[in-house]
Amino acid sequence: MDFPKYLLGDNSDYPDAIFVIHTEFPRFIINLEDDEVEWLEDFDKEDQKELEAEAENLIQGATDFYDREIERYDED
């Protein structure tokens, strides 16, 4: 099954949280309420260097995805 690169997540136990799930490597979930990131991968030292270089871009992509989705909801 193919998944979109980003998904929105919601949970009534966390009413103020806004979760964005990144489904490609490196997979992570970010809570846009507090910018907390949970990585769903185990990284070795080589991956860690790549992750540090790419993390800011991935998190910005998640934020941009959320903003675009909200704009689309507002259009309807």
Side-chain angles (χ1 to χ4, degrees):
M1 173 186 290
D2 288 329
F3 291 106
K5 184 174 183 174
Y6 294 103
L7 299 168
L8 289 176
D10 188 27
N11 187 304
S12 60
D13 292 335
Y14 301 89
D16 296 327
I18 302 166
F19 297 108
V20 176
I21 301 99
H22 181 257
T23 64
E24 297 177 359
F25 184 84
R27 297 173 303 147
F28 65 88
I29 300 171
I30 183 170
N31 181 349
L32 296 179
E33 175 191 24
D34 57 12
D35 292 333
E36 184 176 344
V37 176
E38 180 70 29
W39 297 99
L40 305 175
E41 310 285 356
D42 292 323
F43 301 105
D44 61 23
K45 289 188 181 217
E46 289 179 22
D47 290 338
Q48 190 72 28
K49 290 178 184 178
E50 181 180 333
L51 175 65
E52 289 172 3
E54 188 61 23
E56 186 176 331
N57 292 332
L58 293 170
I59 292 168
Q60 184 61 51
T63 303
D64 293 345
F65 163 76
Y66 174 77
D67 291 342
R68 187 190 78 214
E69 291 298 298
I70 294 305
E71 286 178 18
R72 288 178 179 174
Y73 283 126
D74 289 343
E75 290 174 0
D76 292 338

